[in-house]
């Protein structure tokens, strides 16, 4: 069974840092592009960023709202995806979802994790 | 950035109704359009990709169509488990962008 399990969420002060993890199982993680998507309380979905696979040099893409503050990375040896968040703002408060892409181009979203809540507040 | 506009933002429907949700892109997206379903307190679920292709395990009562900048999601016969919020998304250009969502409620 394909599973994505996010962890690492919690309460952090404005200006602080936090790293989220996504543990993948049930599929060949190294083949797939992976994404982070977030959802502020009571709001819609917002794409955060993408991490391509090794064949595409793990090249990332970021939303303008997080570029320069967030870093997406992955460890194919442990089937893990990461989101390093720094200089956090109250607007970053959201549930963060890890998403697996399909294998054909252009890559589309296939499988979602359950999400982890990040609260940025003093 | 490509803006995705969904309509209506909410609708009320009865069990067995045929429901159609529309999504308009601010520019052409080469049919690289996906739909997602989200129930309260749950993660989104992928329904459709490439405008009209059902994701694995998605029932055939869901269908997608459209081209250019105008797209639709249709639920052929609404069932209790279909009451949820639906989002469209374009994945043709960065940044990937979502519509604002359509909440389908029970009449």
């Amino acid at each position: 069974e394909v599973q994505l399990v996010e962890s690492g969420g919690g309460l952090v002060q404005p200006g602080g840092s936090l790293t989220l993890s996504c543990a993948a199982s049930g599929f060949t993680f190294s083949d797939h592009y992976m994404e982070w998507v977030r959802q502020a309380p009571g709001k819609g979905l917002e794409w955060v960023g993408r991490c391509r696979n090794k064949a595409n040099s793990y090249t990332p893409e970021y939303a303008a709202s997080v570029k320069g503050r967030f870093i997406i990375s992955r460890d194919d040896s442990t089937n893990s995806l990461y989101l390093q968040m720094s200089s956090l703002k109250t607007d970053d408060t959201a549930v963060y979802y890890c998403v697996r892409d399909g294998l054909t181009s252009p890559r589309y979203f296939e499988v979602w994790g359950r999400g982890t809540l990040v609260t940025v507040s003093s | 950035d490509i803006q995705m506009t969904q309509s209506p933002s909410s609708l009320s429907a009865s069990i067995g109704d045929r429901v159609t949700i529309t999504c308009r892109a601010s520019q052409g997206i080469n049919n690289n359009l996906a739909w997602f379903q989200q129930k309260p307190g749950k993660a989104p679920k992928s329904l459709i990709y490439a405008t009209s292709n059902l994701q694995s395990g998605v029932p055939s009562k869901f269908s997608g169509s459209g081209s250019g900048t105008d797209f639709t999601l249709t639920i052929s016969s609404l069932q209790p488990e279909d009451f949820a919020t639906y989002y469209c998304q374009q994945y043709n250009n960065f940044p990937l962008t979502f519509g604002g969502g359509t909440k389908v409620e029970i009449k």
Side-chain angles (χ1 to χ4, degrees), chain A residues 12-17 38 64-70 85-94 96 118-122:
Chain A
V12 60
Q13 291 189 336
S17 300
R38 68 184 181 183
S65 59
V66 307
K67 195 168 187 178
R69 301 188 299 122
F70 290 12
M85 304 184 293
S86 61
S87 303
L88 283 161
K89 307 174 183 179
T90 55
D91 286 350
D92 296 318
T93 294
Y96 285 74
V118 173
T119 303
V120 184
S121 174
S122 55

Side-chain angles (χ1 to χ4, degrees), chain B residues 2 4 25 27-33 68-69 71 89-93:
Chain B
I2 297 176
M4 304 300 292
Q27 65 187 71
I29 56 173
N30 296 313
N31 289 0
N32 293 319
L33 189 283
T69 60
F71 303 89
Q89 180 224 20
Q90 68 80 20
Y91 54 94
N92 194 64
N93 291 85

Side-chain angles (χ1 to χ4, degrees), chain B residues 11-102:
Chain B
L11 64 90
S12 296
S14 300
I15 302 298
D17 282 355
R18 180 182 181 89
V19 168
T20 298
I21 298 168
T22 65
C23 178
R24 174 167 287 175
S26 60
Q27 65 187 71
I29 56 173
N30 296 313
N31 289 0
N32 293 319
L33 189 283
W35 290 96
F36 306 95
Q37 175 195 64
Q38 187 177 33
K39 297 179 180 179
K42 300 294 187 182
K45 174 186 175 183
S46 299
L47 295 178
I48 286 172
Y49 66 97
T51 298
S52 59
N53 293 278
L54 291 182
Q55 292 273 3
S56 176
V58 173
S60 59
K61 62 181 171 180
F62 292 97
S63 63
S65 63
S67 64
T69 60
D70 294 323
F71 303 89
T72 61
L73 172 70
T74 300
I75 309 171
S76 60
S77 177
L78 202 65
Q79 298 302 306
E81 63 270 19
D82 303 328
F83 291 95
T85 299
Y86 293 84
Y87 294 92
C88 63
Q89 180 224 20
Q90 68 80 20
Y91 54 94
N92 194 64
N93 291 85
F94 291 109
L96 310 184
T97 47
F98 292 89
T102 296

